[in-house]
Amino acid sequence: MTVSLEQLRRCHVAVDLGAARTRVFVKGAGLVVDEPSVAAVNTRTGALIAVGALAEKMTGRTPDYIRVVRPVSGGTVVDIEMAQRMLRHLLGDKLRRQLRRKPRLRAAACTPHDSDPLAQRAAVETLVGLGARRVELVDTLIAAAVGCGLPVEQPTATMIMVCGAATTQVAVLSLGAIVTAERMPVGGDAIDHAVIQHLRHQHELMLPSQSVRPLQVALHGNGLTAQGPTFTEIHGRDVATGLARSVTVDTAAVREAIQTPLTSVLDGIGKVLRDCPPDLVADLADRGIMMVGGSALLPGLDQMLREATGMPVHIAERPDVCAVLGLGAMLEGRIQPLVLDPLAEDAPDAG
């Protein structure tokens, strides 16, 4: 999956197909698509009813013949045809016509670290179906590091943590490459699921599919730490009666419920640091960890990592779009590789 900056400069469009959101960057136009990776389909006719934000609003509210699907899972395309149809509608007719005018359309795509050949093939097939003649694959970790302004091409260590919906990826980068990395199958969705299970078992309350976010908002400020709010009110449906009900939830118990997925993230960070050369770990003690991805905005997560690792933890300026903006910067030639002068051992003497 090694691709040169020169190859990326020839690309016209960059795509980040995430489990939660799909983002498209077009050279010269910037970020043109940032929508949820969701599509609503009429199962009787096979017609696409809605994509993006509108389809996401339909989740859990559709009649039997309308199915809401997510063609991307864990950063991997699981339904190529549906992913192509979703991308076509998200791009729109005008933009698709502009891209079709390119005689040899080239595309770049983010893929999770250590993704298997089938996952890489699925990403390529998806973009080939949109008219791309050639598809370059870039590791999400490198794209995100470039997008948040880390000096990845320098011979110093930088540590990045990509907090996605389905996976969390951690890596140490130096000289434009990954020194050591780890991918954990835990992300924002796992934290949501832990909260849902806690409310179901402890309070016999069933949440609508989109109501976990208000709970995370209630954990505002130092949400995952003891300084956060003590109680918060949650509305949902009673498991036994099916009637609407409100309960007052102890946020300390919620913090306890989400410790399991968060612990596996900390284990992954520890493994990356153990596998890292000592000189690079010394750099990281000063530089710390840069967090990107939509789940990086979970209130108090940075504070918890700070306490657990003893290292500085920073959140990128626009953490949710770092990966696609990094790809876009490579497409537009804004990233220069570190030039190493070859040692002229065999050069003739100047005299």
Side-chain angles (χ1 to χ4, degrees):
M1 206 165 66
T2 306
V3 56
S4 70
L5 285 172
E6 190 56 44
Q7 288 171 303
L8 286 172
R9 284 196 195 103
R10 296 177 191 156
C11 294
H12 306 99
V13 60
V15 179
D16 178 13
L17 276 169
R21 295 183 78 85
T22 293
R23 300 175 178 96
V24 180
F25 184 101
V26 175
K27 189 190 281 188
L31 188 64
V32 294
V33 172
D34 184 4
E35 293 275 346
S37 305
V38 188
V41 187
N42 185 326
T43 55
R44 293 173 182 169
T45 62
L48 207 59
I49 295 171
V51 294
L54 181 57
E56 190 174 52
K57 286 179 184 172
M58 294 181 180
T59 306
R61 295 180 169 89
T62 58
D64 291 342
Y65 66 91
I66 295 178
R67 190 163 57 98
V68 177
V69 295
R70 292 182 176 270
V72 185
S73 174
T76 302
V77 178
V78 291
D79 187 338
I80 295 173
E81 184 192 353
M82 188 55 66
Q84 289 173 350
R85 293 174 70 186
M86 180 184 75
L87 268 175
R88 282 193 202 104
H89 281 77
L90 288 175
L91 285 170
D93 292 336
K94 184 181 175 184
L95 192 56
R96 283 213 320 277
R97 280 198 298 271
Q98 287 177 4
L99 292 175
R100 274 205 297 265
R101 290 195 196 108
K102 310 281 185 190
R104 288 188 63 80
L105 180 65
R106 286 174 176 243
C110 292
T111 54
H113 176 69
D114 211 17
S115 56
D116 59 71
L118 278 176
Q120 295 177 26
R121 177 82 184 180
V124 171
E125 289 288 332
T126 301
L127 296 183
V128 166
L130 289 175
R133 299 293 184 90
R134 185 183 174 98
V135 179
E136 309 289 359
L137 298 179
V138 179
D139 198 302
T140 303
L141 289 162
I142 292 178
V146 170
C148 63
L150 290 177
V152 287
E153 73 282 355
Q154 299 299 322
T156 54
T158 51
M159 189 169 191
I160 188 159
M161 178 173 165
V162 180
C163 310
T167 58
T168 300
Q169 304 170 67
V170 184
V172 174
L173 310 174
S174 181
L175 286 171
I178 294 172
V179 178
T180 175
E182 192 72 22
R183 179 160 65 126
M184 292 79 72
V186 173
D189 289 349
I191 293 172
D192 287 352
H193 183 69
V195 174
I196 289 171
Q197 292 300 104
H198 168 75
L199 292 174
R200 188 183 181 105
H201 293 147
Q202 300 299 321
H203 299 277
E204 296 186 344
L205 193 75
M206 190 183 294
L207 285 183
S209 56
Q210 295 172 328
S211 291
V212 181
R213 297 299 170 186
L215 183 68
Q216 292 183 2
V217 172
L219 298 174
H220 64 278
N222 300 318
L224 299 182
T225 59
Q227 292 80 33
T230 309
F231 295 100
T232 185
E233 191 175 16
I234 302 296
H235 309 285
R237 193 177 75 188
D238 190 285
V239 172
T241 65
L243 299 175
R245 185 162 66 91
S246 297
V247 295
T248 301
V249 178
D250 181 4
T251 51
V254 174
R255 286 196 295 272
E256 188 66 33
I258 61 179
Q259 281 305 312
T260 303
L262 291 177
T263 301
S264 61
V265 172
L266 291 173
D267 290 345
I269 294 174
K271 186 174 187 305
V272 167
L273 290 173
R274 285 194 299 274
D275 294 344
C276 193
D279 291 344
L280 294 181
V281 175
D283 288 347
L284 295 174
D286 300 325
R287 292 175 174 273
I289 305 171
M290 178 67 79
M291 291 173 63
V292 302
S295 299
L297 297 170
L298 184 68
L301 180 57
D302 55 334
Q303 178 67 26
M304 196 203 79
L305 290 175
R306 216 171 276 128
E307 292 170 359
T309 61
M311 295 163 58
V313 178
H314 316 281
I315 299 178
E317 191 176 338
R318 298 178 65 190
D320 49 341
V321 293
C322 277
V324 74
L325 291 182
L327 266 184
M330 294 187 221
L331 261 61
E332 295 183 339
R334 285 183 266 138
I335 306 300
Q336 298 299 324
L338 182 67
V339 178
L340 299 173
D341 292 328
L343 298 173
E345 290 179 358
D346 301 327
D349 293 332

